[in-house]
Amino acid sequence: MSDFHSPRAPHPAPRTADGPRPDTRIVHPPLAEVTGSRPLGVPLHQGHLFAFETGDALTRAHGGPDGAFFYNRFGNPTVRTLEQAVADLEGGTGALATASGMGAISTTLLALLRAGDHVIAQRSLYGGTVGALTDLTERWGVEVDYVSGDDPAAVAAALRPDTRVLFLETVSNPTTRVTDLPGLIAVAKRAGVVSVVDNTFATPLLCRPIEHGADIVIHSVTKYLGGHSDVLGGIAVFTDPEIHHRVWRRSLELGAAADPFAAWLTLRGMQTLALRVRRHCDSALDLAGRLAAHPAVTAVHYPGLPTHLDHERARRLLPDGHGGVLAFDLAGGRAAAGAFTESVRLASLAPSLGDVHTLVLHPASTSHRQLSDEELAAVGIGPGTVRVSVGIEHPEDIWADLEQALAKV
Ligand code: PLP
């Protein structure tokens, strides 16, 4: 074997007279300092390792989620910028960004629960959350009682001495029922139960659950906060530093940390959140009204419509707009829904929401396919229910697309 292939081959580069060799200088480039000006764009700290002057300082850095940066699983400057930004919007004391919305949900549940604990959860939760709770039941004996989102008495009736968590969503998927956050959370608070609210559908611009008593707020930032179908991420916002610390510790073990580039993309998306949310809300209200008047449509589910079951509650909890997601029922059932979702041209048949693009979905055969017909009916999903996540395209173009697809059903 030649010297070149040998792992012990000597460095080919010559040593310079007055400093380290090129091989070494390549590994230690002088870092450009920003002086005399400041970056307007959020800096991306992709590097995941940080060096210290003293061993004591490195030891102290391990102490908690607000410590000095040393290794990205424990914290990173770009990720912390995202955590502080979302904590600020939600009115929390701190936040933990994770690799996905499910990462935030599972890490939080695993940090709060022990084997044998009891959870009260809203019946219409996102399927992934129900899956995580079911797994906790099967593997760890965590018992879960499901209740409706508008009945504080049902929460009171379900309470047990070992109840640890109440898990809710601000707006339910896909029928956009608006949860009685103040009513349900007040019952949990009196019993010392931690309230967790998934606020993904509402965004912190339309609803801030902490103002209604929530202890933890969760987002899939994959949706509205990121907004551009180019990033997967999640975040949990806390009101109690001790709980924040506990969930952060669990995230270290699970390896749930957000990647800095994902955090950076989310922060870039968030800079236009207010503009996008305004457009999503205005267009969704406009389209909901037009759909309600269409002969192929038997019902429209959008909290901005006076006909919606929770319209009054929505006016109180979502005073600045009712979100960008709506659902409607087609008279022709499953066949009509299939024809509709495959006939859209501007909109896309895709399983997400909160995007700049308009997305359509048939919940009974996709996001909620694990439910029986009775369970679907219990959460208001019919065979002909279609969900639309209204994008930021011109509303006339979105309507023209939905109208031509409705003509095919
Ligand atoms: N919460 C809600 C309300 C969701 O709709 C979703 C995904 O659709 C999630 C959580 C999970 O988020 P992620 O896909 O980022 O893990």
Side-chain angles (χ1 to χ4, degrees), residues 28-322:
H28 299 268
L31 299 179
E33 274 184 50
V34 181
T35 49
S37 63
R38 63 188 163 87
L40 280 179
V42 175
L44 168 59
H45 290 269
Q46 185 67 38
H48 94 101
L49 201 53
F50 299 76
F52 287 74
E53 297 296 327
T54 69
D56 279 353
L58 175 54
T59 303
R60 276 198 306 278
H62 287 68
D66 304 324
F69 304 107
F70 65 99
Y71 188 89
N72 279 355
R73 186 157 44 81
F74 294 71
N76 166 277
T78 308
V79 174
R80 193 165 300 166
T81 303
L82 172 64
E83 291 168 341
Q84 287 170 347
V86 181
D88 172 57
L89 287 178
E90 286 287 3
T93 53
L96 178 79
T98 52
S100 68
M102 280 312 301
I105 291 167
S106 297
T107 307
T108 300
L109 289 174
L110 287 167
L112 295 177
L113 296 169
R114 289 176 184 280
D117 281 346
H118 178 240
V119 174
I120 302 174
Q122 193 177 338
R123 192 165 290 117
S124 53
L125 292 181
Y126 168 63
T129 308
V130 175
L133 288 169
T134 305
D135 192 52
L136 284 170
T137 302
E138 288 168 2
R139 294 164 66 86
W140 307 111
V142 170
E143 291 188 31
V144 185
D145 275 318
Y146 289 95
V147 297
S148 103
D150 58 4
D151 187 4
V155 175
L159 276 175
R160 300 183 347 193
D162 56 354
T163 307
R164 297 284 171 260
V165 170
L166 171 69
F167 201 108
L168 307 172
E169 286 177 5
T170 313
V171 178
S172 75
N173 176 30
T175 53
T176 66
R177 295 294 307 269
V178 179
T179 303
D180 179 8
L181 295 182
L184 272 58
I185 292 172
V187 176
K189 217 172 226 8
R190 280 197 294 276
V193 170
V194 174
S195 297
V196 183
V197 178
D198 183 332
N199 197 33
T200 298
F201 271 54
T203 82
L205 297 183
L206 299 181
C207 182
R208 284 167 298 283
I210 290 170
E211 292 175 3
H212 303 292
D215 299 296
I216 300 177
V217 177
I218 285 180
H219 286 275
S220 164
V221 310
T222 314
K223 312 297 188 311
Y224 287 103
L225 300 191
H228 296 74
S229 50
D230 55 10
V231 62
L232 186 77
I235 198 159
V237 179
F238 305 97
T239 52
D240 177 346
E242 189 277 321
I243 293 183
H244 182 184
H245 195 280
R246 240 196 293 163
V247 180
W248 172 76
R249 275 253 151 251
R250 186 64 50 191
S251 83
L252 304 181
E253 292 154 9
L254 296 171
D259 180 76
F261 185 52
W264 185 85
L265 282 171
T266 307
L267 283 160
R268 195 175 63 157
M270 278 174 57
Q271 289 179 326
T272 56
L273 183 65
L275 299 175
R276 287 187 285 111
V277 165
R278 188 71 271 137
R279 177 80 160 198
H280 288 301
C281 291
D282 291 347
S283 295
L285 183 61
D286 176 53
L287 294 169
R290 297 193 201 204
L291 284 164
H294 195 282
V297 174
T298 55
V300 178
H301 311 279
Y302 185 66
L305 293 182
T307 50
H308 190 275
L309 281 170
D310 302 322
H311 182 61
E312 273 314 306
R313 184 177 299 139
R315 283 159 60 98
R316 276 180 281 121
L317 292 187
L318 307 164
D320 298 323
H322 302 96

Side-chain angles (χ1 to χ4, degrees), residues 15-29:
R15 184 192 170 89
T16 53
D18 54 355
R21 296 166 176 81
D23 306 36
T24 305
R25 299 207 306 274
I26 290 167
V27 180
H28 299 268

